[in-house]
Amino acid sequence: MQAPGDSVTAVPPLGSPRAQVSIILPVHNAECWLDDCLRSVLHQDFEGTMELSVFNDASKDKSMTVIEKWKVKLEDSGILVVIGGHDSPSPRGVGYSKNQAIAQSSGAYLCFLDADDVMMPQRVRLQQEAAAQHPRSIIGCQVRRDPPDSTERYTHWINQLSADQLLTQVFTSNGPTVIMPTWFCSRAWFSHVGWFDEGGQKTLQCLVDREFPKSAAKDVLSVFKSKGLTLMTKGVPEDLLFFQEHLRRGGRVVRVERRLLLYRYHPGAASLSVLEGTIWTLRVRFLEERVLPHWAAFTIWNAGKQGRRLYRSLEAANRQKVVAFCDVDERKIKKGFYCYEDAQERPKPRVPILHFRAAQPPFIICVKLQRVLPSMGMHLILPRFAVVSPVSVWEFPVYSGPPWTFVL
């Protein structure tokens, strides 16, 4: 399970840590889930020292009553409980709550847990063992979904990615290749990567950068600030932002091949609050940052709606690298080209539409179903959206709704 380049030594925070592992638990109106969640903390079979760091983000239900009840039980069993929070009229968000819970904790390792999920007894033990071997990695695990049939395709994707795919599928609209409620890492590595985005500022900057010229983006934000206004985004994908920064800094991804978390799906889940457009923008930006600088030219596989959307979302310099669209639909191919009517360039770009057998790699593949591409010399099952070069595959499924609707 050794990850290449994963050779630093994890160190505890300054001072004497109260515990080896801190379980990080943000809470907002989770009364109905907390008994099961906190019982699973009590039943961990880890023989080292643990602490539970809870941050209450302005809950209006009886979450704190449940937490205080379990505090006594946990501390009687040797698990220190640290509780913070605020009672402002509105919650300050998941990123803020996680950061506060981490700041008030002391463990050399951080185990992330959502208040609506349940850990299997072996989780902390097995993930701590893996994290000790891979100090530059985010350690995930397989999950059991509840209800079992709620997100079958997404759950299959979570659990079945190969070790290589944990890095090659980092562009997917499913988000990080190990889901946030399963994360476990050393405090040293977390501190190296940085804190979670708290208010959408990174997301907002990304959106402004894409919608306005660089010369105007700073002015847009300055005008809002000078007038005392705040630009808000609905839902901040703090896990995706952190995961991307983790990869930028050379981090690795490791998964324990055990189902160590009961991962609940329900209408109040925080992940449902993130806008599709926000996720799309962050994915395209990361693709442009990590892949496209290495390519002088490429082909977009799919001349339909999603392929054209990708083309329009690219920076002008990267649009110029698109040498063709390719497809299997004869109607699209007969059109001969796609004209980007809203382009600023003159003349307006006209991109040829070819049959896929006539197209040249590398490809960014944007198709609705899994396909086999023997014509490229690879017997490769591809998901809905993938970046394909002769030597690597960077998978990037098209977003068409919540992650659990994908065919992967």
Side-chain angles (χ1 to χ4, degrees):
M1 205 158 62
Q2 180 70 31
D6 208 353
S7 59
V8 300
T9 301
V11 295
L14 295 176
S16 299
R18 297 182 293 261
Q20 290 174 267
V21 176
S22 295
I23 298 172
I24 305 302
L25 182 65
V27 173
H28 174 68
N29 291 343
E31 174 189 356
C32 62
W33 312 111
L34 276 170
D35 277 320
D36 288 343
C37 177
L38 296 174
R39 186 178 296 109
S40 76
V41 174
L42 179 64
H43 290 163
Q44 291 300 297
D45 65 11
F46 179 62
E47 294 183 354
T49 54
M50 290 191 301
E51 70 176 359
L52 174 67
S53 181
V54 180
F55 190 83
N56 176 37
D57 190 18
S59 294
K60 306 306 179 187
D61 63 0
K62 295 181 180 179
S63 290
M64 284 305 302
T65 301
V66 178
I67 291 166
E68 291 291 350
K69 176 187 71 175
W70 278 96
K71 182 178 188 292
V72 176
K73 296 180 181 180
L74 291 165
E75 293 196 331
D76 283 348
S77 70
I79 301 173
L80 178 66
V81 179
V82 182
I83 301 173
H86 67 97
D87 57 1
S88 302
S90 301
R92 296 176 185 171
V94 179
Y96 174 83
S97 299
K98 288 174 183 171
N99 286 341
Q100 293 299 312
I102 293 165
Q104 70 188 18
S105 71
S106 71
Y109 294 95
L110 305 176
C111 174
F112 293 90
L113 178 62
D114 284 356
D116 53 357
D117 295 333
V118 177
M119 297 191 291
M120 300 301 106
Q122 308 87 356
R123 182 190 171 188
V124 170
R125 173 173 57 84
L126 293 178
Q127 289 194 296
Q128 191 276 332
E129 290 172 358
Q133 295 179 51
H134 306 288
R136 293 181 181 270
S137 294
I138 289 176
I139 311 297
C141 66
Q142 295 177 323
V143 303
R144 180 161 59 90
R145 198 61 149 144
D146 183 44
D149 59 351
S150 56
T151 63
E152 291 180 280
R153 289 169 176 167
Y154 179 54
T155 304
H156 179 80
W157 182 82
I158 292 169
N159 289 334
Q160 299 303 317
L161 291 173
S162 69
D164 289 341
Q165 287 173 327
L166 292 174
L167 286 176
T168 62
Q169 290 201 16
V170 297
F171 298 99
T172 70
S173 48
N174 288 337
T177 49
V178 288
I179 60 170
M180 175 70 216
T182 73
W183 286 9
F184 194 111
C185 66
S186 73
R187 179 183 295 271
W189 182 253
F190 177 86
S191 300
H192 177 70
V193 175
W195 298 86
F196 290 108
D197 184 275
E198 295 189 356
Q201 186 60 35
K202 292 179 182 176
T203 309
L204 172 60
Q205 185 68 60
C206 176
L207 295 171
V208 170
D209 285 347
R210 293 200 60 82
E211 295 298 328
F212 296 91
K214 290 183 179 179
S215 58
K218 183 176 180 181
D219 293 337
V220 171
L221 294 174
S222 297
V223 169
F224 272 79
K225 185 176 180 180
S226 67
K227 294 181 180 297
L229 301 174
T230 302
L231 287 171
M232 298 299 292
T233 58
K234 178 187 176 184
V236 177
E238 83 291 333
D239 56 343
L240 177 60
L241 290 165
F242 185 93
F243 191 71
Q244 290 179 346
E245 185 61 25
H246 162 77
L247 295 172
R248 289 186 187 102
R249 291 176 177 263
R252 309 295 294 178
V253 185
V254 173
R255 187 183 65 214
V256 175
E257 300 302 308
R258 294 278 296 275
R259 299 191 180 196
L260 301 177
L261 187 78
L262 179 68
Y263 181 40
R264 286 197 168 111
Y265 170 71
H266 56 89
S271 58
L272 299 181
S273 69
V274 181
L275 294 174
E276 180 271 337
T278 301
I279 297 293
W280 175 270
T281 297
L282 290 170
R283 290 168 56 213
V284 172
R285 179 183 178 184
F286 200 55
L287 175 73
E288 291 186 306
E289 172 191 329
R290 304 284 288 184
V291 177
L292 298 189
H294 304 287
W295 292 354
F298 62 93
T299 300
I300 296 178
W301 187 311
N302 187 354
K305 180 179 178 180
Q306 292 291 355
R308 297 194 303 268
R309 182 188 184 192
L310 173 65
Y311 176 83
R312 294 192 301 268
S313 299
L314 296 172
E315 296 283 357
N318 286 320
R319 285 199 303 270
Q320 292 174 7
K321 295 181 179 182
V322 179
V323 294
F325 289 90
C326 69
D327 213 292
V328 296
D329 187 334
E330 292 294 341
R331 293 172 300 176
K332 296 173 185 174
I333 296 168
K334 285 180 180 178
K335 291 181 180 178
F337 63 89
Y338 166 67
C339 180
Y340 181 23
E341 296 291 347
D342 295 330
Q344 299 297 315
E345 303 99 310
R346 293 295 182 273
K348 295 178 180 179
R350 292 161 64 96
V351 185
I353 302 175
L354 308 175
H355 190 277
F356 77 92
R357 294 187 185 279
Q360 295 294 317
F363 297 92
I364 298 181
I365 297 183
C366 176
V367 295
K368 291 185 178 180
L369 298 173
Q370 292 179 341
R371 305 294 174 99
V372 179
L373 298 178
S375 63
M376 292 171 56
M378 300 184 231
H379 293 282
L380 181 68
I381 302 298
L382 290 166
R384 291 176 135 194
F385 198 125
V387 180
V388 181
S389 76
V391 295
S392 65
V393 178
W394 301 77
E395 289 144 307
F396 187 53
V398 167
Y399 192 98
S400 60
W404 34 90
T405 64
F406 293 165
V407 180
L408 290 175

